């Protein structure tokens, strides 16, 4: 890897059995992010994305809250920013979210506590979200005279346009049961079972074809919400032909027919 994964100030990073766990580590301020955490998240996901030893990435958090959004001290500093400085600052957050969203490895948000404001964006950019039953969720920006603009493409995609209309405008707090009903999270579990649930899910994904997983992520991003045009149909035809003729595609089919494990299996 290009960087010592123990050198981050805001994060803890561990790689074990092909699973990387990136832990937000500012529990004293409810894992609120600032420019330093944003830069570190961008760097670590960029690094892990190209590490062949890593097949799944878990985004977790230390303490009682998953992420409370923006750090108050950072917000105080932003109050004096010029328009140009605000543009540059918002772009760093946007690039961090885009980096996680486009990561070719499966990403899992392990949500052990409350998720507010920008933290909703962190959950939304992950492929899978599992939360404890006591977690609460809130898009609180309008209370401060702001709008969840930078996170909106991802939150609206994950939460749904209709539900987003309500929670963007009302800034209501909703619980994990409602988040599950709306599809923002995939599963709600007890506090005691969160780690085991995430570990079991990751263990399954570790044994999937890395190339097929990467292709599926790209497929999901390109096809979801797209109109079914002749071009889309042609692209999907090409997509299945490409992966069938790939090395892992051929190996996977042969392994299935021969009733053995494929060579990428761990």
């Amino acid at each position: 890897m290009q960087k010592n994964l123990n050198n981050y100030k805001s994060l803890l990073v561990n790689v074990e059995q092909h699973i990387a766990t990136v832990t937000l580590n500012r529990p004293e301020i409810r894992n609120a992010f600032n420019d330093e955490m944003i830069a570190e998240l961008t760097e670590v996901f960029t690094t892990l994305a190209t590490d062949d030893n890593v097949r799944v990435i878990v985004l977790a958090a230390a303490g009682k809250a998953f992420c409370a959004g923006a750090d108050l001290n950072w917000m105080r500093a932003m109050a004096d920013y010029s328009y140009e400085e605000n543009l540059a600052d918002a772009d760093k957050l946007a690039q961090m979210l885009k980096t996680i969203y486009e990561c070719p490895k499966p990403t899992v948000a392990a949500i052990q506590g409350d998720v507010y404001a920008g933290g909703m964006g962190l959950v939304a950019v992950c492929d899978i979200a599992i939360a404890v039953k006591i977690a609460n969720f809130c898009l609180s920006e309008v209370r401060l005279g702001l709008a969840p603009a930078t996170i909106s493409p991802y939150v609206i995609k994950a939460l749904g346009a209709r539900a987003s209309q309500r929670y963007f405008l009302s800034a209501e707090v909703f619980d994990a049961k409602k988040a599950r009903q709306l599809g923002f999270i995939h599963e709600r579990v007890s506090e005691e079972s969160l780690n085991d649930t995430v570990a079991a899910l990751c263990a399954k994904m570790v044994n999937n074809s890395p190339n097929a997983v990467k292709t599926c992520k790209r497929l999901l991003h390109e096809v979801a919400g797209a109109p079914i045009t002749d071009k889309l149909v042609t692209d999907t035809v090409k997509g299945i032909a490409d992966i069938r003729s790939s090395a892992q595609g051929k190996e996977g089919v042969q392994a299935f027919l021969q009733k053995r494990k494929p060579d990428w299996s761990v």
Side-chain angles (χ1 to χ4, degrees):
M1 287 193 180
Q2 300 171 348
K3 177 182 174 74
N4 186 336
L5 294 179
N6 295 316
N7 284 350
Y8 294 110
K9 294 181 179 179
S10 304
L11 309 172
L12 296 174
V13 184
N14 179 64
V15 179
E16 188 174 351
Q17 297 180 328
H18 304 289
I19 301 168
T21 301
V22 178
T23 304
L24 308 180
N25 193 35
R26 305 181 81 203
E28 69 282 359
I29 55 170
R30 297 171 62 80
N31 296 309
F33 51 71
N34 57 8
D35 51 356
E36 181 178 68
M37 180 183 277
I38 289 170
E40 291 187 348
L41 281 168
T42 302
E43 182 175 290
V44 74
F45 272 87
T46 299
T47 300
L48 294 173
T50 57
D51 184 348
D52 291 338
N53 184 51
V54 173
R55 297 191 179 183
V56 182
I57 306 173
V58 176
L59 181 60
K64 295 183 178 180
F66 180 79
C67 181
D71 179 343
L72 292 178
N73 289 326
W74 186 44
M75 291 178 69
R76 290 188 186 99
M78 285 190 289
D80 296 324
Y81 280 4
S82 66
Y83 181 76
E84 289 72 21
E85 288 172 323
N86 269 303
L87 279 177
D89 189 74
D91 184 64
K92 292 175 183 177
L93 174 60
Q95 292 306 315
M96 180 268 284
L97 294 169
K98 186 171 181 284
T99 297
I100 299 175
Y101 181 72
E102 293 185 346
C103 179
K105 312 292 174 68
T107 53
V108 181
I111 305 160
Q112 92 299 355
D114 291 349
V115 183
Y116 275 59
M120 294 284 286
L122 286 178
V123 172
V125 293
C126 289
D127 298 309
I128 301 169
I130 299 174
V132 296
K133 294 178 180 179
I134 63 169
N136 289 311
F137 300 80
C138 183
L139 290 148
S140 56
E141 285 85 351
V142 291
R143 296 180 191 170
L144 306 179
L146 303 175
T150 313
I151 66 173
S152 64
Y154 310 103
V155 174
I156 293 172
K157 184 182 288 287
L159 186 61
R162 190 61 172 165
S164 295
Q165 284 177 303
R166 173 171 179 168
Y167 294 107
F168 274 37
L169 301 176
S170 69
E172 294 171 90
V173 176
F174 56 99
D175 61 17
K177 183 177 181 179
K178 176 60 72 173
R180 173 67 185 87
Q181 291 171 345
L182 295 171
F184 189 68
I185 62 172
H186 296 90
E187 197 168 345
R188 53 191 285 269
V189 298
S190 67
E191 294 173 81
E192 296 77 18
S193 63
L194 176 63
N195 289 340
D196 288 343
T197 301
V198 171
L201 175 62
C202 290
K204 291 180 180 179
M205 290 192 289
V206 158
N207 279 294
N208 293 333
S209 159
N211 184 53
V213 167
K214 180 179 180 179
T215 300
C216 281
K217 287 201 65 169
R218 186 172 65 249
L219 189 66
L220 286 162
H221 291 173
E222 293 174 353
V223 174
I228 303 176
T229 61
D230 289 343
K231 182 181 183 305
L232 181 65
V233 172
T234 299
D235 288 345
T236 59
V237 168
K238 182 178 183 301
I240 190 64
D242 287 345
I243 201 162
R244 281 177 180 171
S245 59
S246 70
Q248 287 189 13
K250 292 178 179 179
E251 166 62 13
V253 172
Q254 287 300 315
F256 175 76
L257 294 175
Q258 296 167 12
K259 298 182 180 179
R260 60 174 174 81
K261 290 184 178 180
D263 57 15
W264 64 74
S265 184
V266 298

